[in-house]
Amino acid sequence: MKKVYSDATAALAGLLRDDMTVMCGGFGLCGIPDELIDAVRESGVKGLTVISNNAGIDGVGLGKLLDTRQVSKMISSYVGENKEFARQFLANELEIEFNPQGTLAERIRAGGAGIPAFFTKTGVGTKVAEGKEVREFDGAQYVMERGLFADLALVHAYRGDTEGNLAYRLTARNFNPMMATAAKVTVAQVEHLVQPGEIDAENIHTPGIFVKRIVHVPVREKRIEQRTTRKRAEAGAETGPAAAGGGAV
Amino acid sequence: MKKVYSDATAALAGLLRDDMTVMCGGFGLCGIPDELIDAVRESGVKGLTVISNNAGIDGVGLGKLLDTRQVSKMISSYVGENKEFARQFLANELEIEFNPQGTLAERIRAGGAGIPAFFTKTGVGTKVAEGKEVREFDGAQYVMERGLFADLALVHAYRGDTEGNLAYRLTARNFNPMMATAAKVTVAQVEHLVQPGEIDAENIHTPGIFVKRIVHVPVREKRIEQRTTRKRAEAGAETGPAAAGGGAV
Amino acid sequence: MAWTRDQMAARAARELEDGFYVNLGIGIPTLVSNFIPEGMSVQLQSENGMLGMGPFPYEGEEDPDLINAGKQTITALPTTSYFSSADSFGMIRGGHINLSILGAMQVAENGDLANWMIPGKMVKGMGGAMDLVAGVKRVVVVMEHVARNKDGSESPKLLKACDLPLTGTHVVDMVITDLGVFTIDKKGEGGMTLIELADGVTEDEIRAKTEAAYTVALA
Amino acid sequence: MAWTRDQMAARAARELEDGFYVNLGIGIPTLVSNFIPEGMSVQLQSENGMLGMGPFPYEGEEDPDLINAGKQTITALPTTSYFSSADSFGMIRGGHINLSILGAMQVAENGDLANWMIPGKMVKGMGGAMDLVAGVKRVVVVMEHVARNKDGSESPKLLKACDLPLTGTHVVDMVITDLGVFTIDKKGEGGMTLIELADGVTEDEIRAKTEAAYTVALA
């Protein structure tokens, strides 16, 4: 059972068709399967529904598929750091379904784990709950959300073995592990391709059962969206832990 | 914020009360928090509802709490490898709620993740679904199951650091990671207590946020329920991979 | 001349395909692992949290932290990965396991399966059986064709409808007994079909020992 | 004399307790990390999958694989752990984070919060904000007391009811503005209470710039 393919184009051969649903790992530009995205672009496949937390930036990551108008719908939590995205969205050329980030993550996890629906308190009383069942459990209100399952998942990992076992690096893990479980076919691009046994069995983040195809993509340029640093001179003075989050605002 | 306690009794001080619900990690006798169970026994606390995949064997693990009649109800998937358990159960002295093993695991995971209920196809059309909502999604039937959340979770890990970060060993992981997330207070017994940073940050199975108290219990005798081996002489002949599963039968 | 346990396991092994991920129940299904063809890659899942199960350990090398779902000591392989019970059953429920081979007390002609409790007897629980039959893509049952009762009589196990509490409904794709092999159109209207006879077994013998209705389509 | 951004962050830092796990939003909330008292153990969670966030890296040591939820390059600490987005939001939704400090466009006297979209403007999405306010035990908002409009006028942000689309209902426990501090009985009937004034700010000034009803209970 050979899972290893020679390059991204070969790894996607026979898997792409118009109007399919594709999950794409990554948070911002961190941990995105950029080489696989490039291969999707080159294939010319159109009308894609893309499930991804973000939509890349102009000319990088999913931004490349927006430029070529291959995406018709995004299911995301935070987008628009991308002029072409904004243009298409405002021109009604692109549909967008916003999901709270945790709901999106859980919907994908549920889809991969055979859970068709679950209840969450996230979004109760907001636009997110409109048209959805809201139900009380133990005195609190929860909204029902559905699992997500795609035709294809594209993920990025730091290390992968020929059996398809994957390990991610630092915060490049993000949405990749759940997406790997939630599609008919999962294709992984890995920075380091190793033999079975080289990744510690207790520290395999995605077991090989979830990965049908794997392609070795030695590191290319990894982009940084917000380069924040402290100066060595200042160290310890004004620079406590760097924190950010909370989505919008 | 000191999380490390000197021994199991100290680690449970102030946490135990009659009629509380306690989750207890482990599968069979593998990965059970035996020293913490001993401390519960010594405390004399009664009327416990215990959520655990199994119920130990006579005189080992949860079997010790059954011997002392401290348990009034078990929520489990497979029990009765224990004569005292069978006796109490047949005498109606002990209540048992059977859950399919995967449903039990998912209910615990849901409880820890703020999911009050989810749908699964496991158990549809069986006794398990009696009295529960059954609903159709995309042409198939699913039963609604509720999240589980306990007053106290007792877990066993191989390594733990003073921050409460845990790593499990081999199949001793089992129910421990979910249970660690699904209780008001989680107490972990660890075979090796280390300093923060000694467990690789990418391979921490349970982040310290879930663990309120930790106690170092250097390895005691680990019991084996079914000692199966192959003889060196026979190697390769009749002995393919050893497989078992499927629950009952 | 019915099939032996090993012959039944060997027949079940013919349902394996290269690249399959398989969960084997205890009893005869466990023996299937002895009949995986040379050169075929089959990874065995153990629902307590392991993929890529190896053989039993050599004497003296048993590790209490390394057991299968039957609580037997086992070993790992280079392909092995470990995970939690929640992740394990996510894998099962999510339909990622290709094949589950397990035993049964009763199977009905519509694919219903009973294998976890007998009313009035001590009930040990369903363990992972309900999850496996509901979640795994293809379910193959391996069992004796009839149950032998204490008084020496025999009761059919392939029934029009199970009378024991069910483990799952419309879940069994194939039944391999010591007498033959049946397929079941579990989600459709095709019912049960006898497709193979064990060596030296006649259709008449099967007919006499089977309550379930079935069509015959021997190869 | 209203509070500066740093003073607001310092006031918010007084809500920290030893052993807390905290999620900080972008903007002023990020500054709170500069005011964690010496000797207090506070672990910062970043919802993209990290617990135990360290300071910004030294120049030249940025790692593209190590970012926070604001997509800024950061560093790790000895206490750090990494996990998936699903596990991260399980942690958030499950109520395991003690405190979330975040910004807002509007807060209502019942604890409703709006901070993710303005109808008619480009909507970027809610990111993790809805999950955080719904899931975290205690939510502290840090914001300017009023919005400054393009024409130079000011609009109150502490309202009887939010008119912008909501991020969550009955979610805010405390609001720290440049003018003072309010508590909100988000699940009860206690409403909003002014408990502190910024240096040199008068009750009258706050009254004039606040639409929400509130009681006054200054220390």
Side-chain angles (χ1 to χ4, degrees):
Chain A
M1 202 60 193
K2 198 186 155 301
K3 292 187 176 185
V4 180
Y5 288 73
S6 57
D7 59 47
T9 300
L12 293 179
L15 299 180
L16 300 173
R17 56 177 173 71
D18 288 351
D19 305 318
M20 74 189 304
T21 299
V22 181
M23 289 189 183
C24 195
F27 180 92
L29 302 179
C30 182
I32 58 172
D34 52 356
E35 188 97 357
L36 292 169
I37 292 169
D38 286 355
V40 171
R41 177 179 165 127
E42 283 153 29
S43 79
V45 69
K46 283 195 167 61
L48 301 176
T49 293
V50 177
I51 301 171
S52 173
N53 190 60
N54 312 94
I57 60 174
D58 288 294
V60 183
L62 289 174
K64 292 189 179 184
L65 302 187
L66 292 165
D67 289 345
T68 49
R69 315 284 291 275
Q70 290 173 271
V71 181
S72 63
K73 180 178 179 180
M74 292 289 312
I75 300 178
S76 303
S77 90
Y78 195 78
V79 297
E81 294 149 309
N82 185 320
K83 287 194 194 105
E84 176 61 15
F85 184 97
R87 191 199 64 70
Q88 290 180 28
F89 178 60
L90 294 172
N92 278 322
E93 294 171 12
L94 181 66
E95 188 184 350
I96 166 92
E97 177 190 313
F98 284 118
N99 281 227
Q101 193 175 140
T103 295
L104 182 62
E106 188 67 13
R107 290 183 69 193
I108 296 165
R109 191 260 175 202
I115 306 284
F118 60 90
F119 289 90
T120 173
K121 59 186 138 185
T122 299
V124 171
T126 76
K127 279 185 182 294
V128 163
E130 284 174 12
K132 295 174 186 165
E133 176 175 333
V134 173
R135 187 192 291 215
E136 185 173 312
F137 293 99
D138 303 327
Q141 300 292 315
Y142 297 84
V143 58
M144 191 176 83
E145 296 280 1
R146 298 294 309 273
L148 282 172
F149 197 81
D151 298 306
L152 176 67
L154 307 179
V155 303
H156 172 278
Y158 185 62
R159 294 204 295 161
D161 69 23
T162 56
E163 168 67 18
N165 293 308
L166 304 180
Y168 307 95
R169 182 167 178 270
L170 309 178
T171 57
R173 189 181 313 192
N174 54 65
F175 280 82
N176 286 297
M178 299 87 75
M179 288 185 174
T181 71
K184 286 178 203 153
V185 179
T186 292
V187 182
Q189 84 173 53
V190 301
E191 296 180 37
H192 300 277
L193 182 64
V194 301
Q195 290 302 307
E198 291 191 49
I199 308 175
D200 180 7
E202 282 164 339
N203 300 322
I204 287 167
H205 300 136
T206 293
I209 190 172
F210 296 115
V211 179
K212 295 284 187 302
R213 301 184 182 190
I214 190 165
V215 58
H216 182 206
V217 178
V219 190
R220 304 190 307 164
E221 188 204 5
K222 290 184 191 175
R223 296 282 296 260
I224 291 175
E225 261 180 279
Q226 305 280 342
R227 188 177 301 271
T228 46
T229 59
R230 53 182 168 153
K231 289 214 171 68
R232 281 175 200 280
E234 292 175 7
E238 282 292 303
T239 52
V249 177
Chain B
M1 203 61 194
K2 198 187 153 303
K3 292 187 175 184
V4 180
Y5 288 73
S6 57
D7 58 47
T9 300
L12 293 179
L15 299 180
L16 299 173
R17 57 177 172 71
D18 289 350
D19 305 318
M20 75 189 302
T21 299
V22 182
M23 286 187 186
C24 195
F27 180 92
L29 302 179
C30 182
I32 59 172
D34 52 354
E35 188 98 355
L36 292 169
I37 292 170
D38 285 355
V40 172
R41 176 178 165 128
E42 282 152 29
S43 79
V45 69
K46 283 195 167 61
L48 300 176
T49 293
V50 177
I51 301 171
S52 172
N53 189 60
N54 311 94
I57 61 174
D58 288 294
V60 184
L62 290 173
K64 291 189 178 181
L65 301 186
L66 292 165
D67 289 345
T68 50
R69 314 284 292 272
Q70 290 172 272
V71 180
S72 63
K73 179 178 178 179
M74 292 290 310
I75 299 178
S76 304
S77 91
Y78 196 78
V79 298
E81 295 148 308
N82 185 320
K83 286 194 194 104
E84 176 60 16
F85 184 97
R87 190 198 66 69
Q88 290 180 29
F89 178 61
L90 294 171
N92 278 323
E93 295 171 11
L94 180 65
E95 187 184 349
I96 166 92
E97 177 190 314
F98 284 117
N99 282 228
Q101 193 176 138
T103 295
L104 182 63
E106 187 67 15
R107 291 182 68 192
I108 297 164
R109 190 261 174 200
I115 306 284
F118 61 91
F119 289 89
T120 173
K121 58 187 140 185
T122 299
V124 170
T126 76
K127 278 183 182 297
V128 163
E130 284 173 12
K132 295 174 186 166
E133 176 176 333
V134 173
R135 187 192 291 215
E136 186 173 311
F137 293 98
D138 303 326
Q141 300 292 315
Y142 297 85
V143 58
M144 191 176 84
E145 296 280 1
R146 298 294 308 274
L148 282 171
F149 198 81
D151 298 305
L152 175 66
L154 307 178
V155 303
H156 172 277
Y158 186 62
R159 295 204 294 161
D161 69 25
T162 57
E163 168 67 18
N165 293 308
L166 305 180
Y168 307 95
R169 183 168 177 270
L170 310 178
T171 57
R173 188 181 314 191
N174 55 64
F175 280 82
N176 286 296
M178 299 88 74
M179 288 185 173
T181 71
K184 286 178 202 152
V185 179
T186 292
V187 182
Q189 84 173 52
V190 300
E191 297 180 36
H192 300 277
L193 182 64
V194 301
Q195 290 304 307
E198 291 191 50
I199 307 175
D200 179 8
E202 283 164 340
N203 300 322
I204 286 167
H205 301 137
T206 294
I209 189 172
F210 296 113
V211 178
K212 294 284 185 303
R213 302 184 180 189
I214 190 164
V215 58
H216 182 205
V217 178
V219 190
R220 304 189 307 162
E221 187 203 6
K222 289 185 192 174
R223 295 282 295 261
I224 290 174
E225 260 180 279
Q226 305 281 342
R227 188 177 301 270
T228 44
T229 59
R230 54 181 164 151
K231 291 214 171 67
R232 280 175 202 279
E234 291 176 7
E238 281 294 301
T239 51
V249 177
Chain C
M1 271 303 296
W3 276 333
T4 62
R5 287 162 56 93
D6 271 338
Q7 284 175 311
M8 291 162 71
R11 176 60 189 83
R14 283 173 45 203
E15 301 304 311
L16 301 172
E17 296 178 24
D18 191 36
F20 261 25
Y21 293 90
V22 179
N23 186 294
L24 300 179
I26 57 175
I28 301 175
T30 303
L31 302 177
V32 174
S33 61
N34 295 327
F35 297 96
I36 299 171
E38 194 75 29
M40 182 183 279
S41 165
V42 170
Q43 297 293 320
L44 300 178
Q45 201 248 21
S46 188
E47 66 264 29
N48 54 318
M50 181 185 194
L51 189 65
M53 202 176 357
F56 292 138
Y58 292 120
E59 280 184 53
E61 295 184 0
E62 309 91 324
D63 186 329
D65 288 341
L66 185 48
I67 65 172
N68 65 17
K71 292 154 194 155
Q72 299 171 310
T73 46
I74 49 164
T75 58
L77 299 170
T79 51
T80 298
S81 56
Y82 301 99
F83 32 81
S84 73
S85 299
D87 286 344
S88 180
F89 283 94
M91 198 178 278
I92 290 167
R93 197 189 307 102
H96 302 283
I97 309 279
N98 299 93
L99 181 64
S100 172
I101 303 178
L102 74 175
M105 297 171 181
Q106 298 180 337
V107 176
E109 61 192 47
N110 67 351
D112 285 2
L113 169 70
N115 75 349
W116 78 283
M117 76 175 281
I118 299 174
K121 290 203 180 178
M122 174 67 195
V123 180
K124 292 194 169 187
M126 68 291 281
M130 285 191 182
D131 309 280
L132 283 161
V133 299
V136 173
K137 285 177 191 156
R138 188 147 188 276
V139 173
V140 172
V141 163
V142 181
M143 66 178 192
E144 300 295 320
H145 200 90
V146 296
R148 274 157 247 282
N149 304 315
K150 281 184 181 168
D151 63 5
S153 66
E154 293 183 342
S155 302
K157 297 176 68 172
L158 280 168
L159 304 172
K160 290 193 179 307
C162 299
D163 50 37
L164 292 174
L166 295 178
T167 304
T169 60
H170 299 279
V171 293
V172 178
D173 294 278
M174 175 177 273
V175 180
I176 297 168
T177 78
D178 49 329
L179 302 186
V181 181
F182 297 80
T183 57
I184 298 177
D185 182 23
K186 69 182 177 185
K187 299 293 182 191
E189 302 293 320
M192 197 161 86
T193 306
L194 173 63
I195 61 164
E196 286 175 41
L197 299 174
D199 310 325
V201 171
T202 64
E203 259 189 75
D204 283 348
E205 180 179 356
I206 288 188
R207 181 86 49 195
K209 293 180 171 179
T210 307
E211 182 199 293
Y214 59 90
T215 54
V216 180
L218 298 171
Chain D
M1 272 305 295
W3 278 331
T4 63
R5 287 163 55 94
D6 271 338
Q7 285 174 312
M8 291 163 71
R11 176 59 190 83
R14 284 173 46 205
E15 301 304 312
L16 300 172
E17 295 179 23
D18 190 35
F20 261 24
Y21 294 89
V22 179
N23 187 294
L24 301 179
I26 58 175
I28 302 174
T30 302
L31 301 175
V32 173
S33 60
N34 294 327
F35 298 96
I36 299 172
E38 194 76 28
M40 183 183 281
S41 166
V42 170
Q43 296 294 320
L44 300 179
Q45 201 248 20
S46 188
E47 65 264 30
N48 55 318
M50 182 185 193
L51 189 66
M53 203 176 356
F56 293 138
Y58 291 121
E59 281 183 50
E61 295 185 0
E62 309 92 324
D63 187 329
D65 289 341
L66 186 47
I67 65 171
N68 64 17
K71 291 155 194 155
Q72 298 170 310
T73 46
I74 49 165
T75 59
L77 300 169
T79 52
T80 298
S81 55
Y82 301 98
F83 32 79
S84 72
S85 299
D87 287 344
S88 180
F89 283 94
M91 199 179 276
I92 289 167
R93 195 188 309 104
H96 303 283
I97 310 280
N98 300 94
L99 181 63
S100 173
I101 303 178
L102 73 175
M105 297 171 182
Q106 298 180 336
V107 176
E109 62 192 50
N110 66 352
D112 285 0
L113 169 70
N115 74 349
W116 78 282
M117 76 175 280
I118 299 173
K121 290 202 179 179
M122 174 66 196
V123 180
K124 293 195 170 187
M126 68 291 281
M130 285 193 181
D131 309 280
L132 283 160
V133 299
V136 173
K137 284 176 190 156
R138 189 149 187 274
V139 173
V140 173
V141 164
V142 182
M143 65 177 192
E144 299 296 320
H145 200 89
V146 296
R148 276 156 246 282
N149 304 315
K150 282 186 181 168
D151 64 4
S153 67
E154 292 182 343
S155 302
K157 297 176 68 171
L158 280 167
L159 304 172
K160 292 193 180 305
C162 299
D163 51 37
L164 292 175
L166 295 177
T167 305
T169 60
H170 299 278
V171 294
V172 179
D173 294 278
M174 174 176 275
V175 181
I176 297 168
T177 79
D178 49 329
L179 303 185
V181 181
F182 297 80
T183 57
I184 298 178
D185 182 21
K186 67 181 177 186
K187 300 293 182 193
E189 302 293 318
M192 198 160 87
T193 308
L194 173 63
I195 61 164
E196 286 174 43
L197 299 174
D199 309 326
V201 171
T202 63
E203 256 189 78
D204 284 349
E205 179 180 357
I206 285 188
R207 183 84 51 194
K209 294 182 170 177
T210 306
E211 180 198 292
Y214 59 89
T215 54
V216 180
L218 299 171

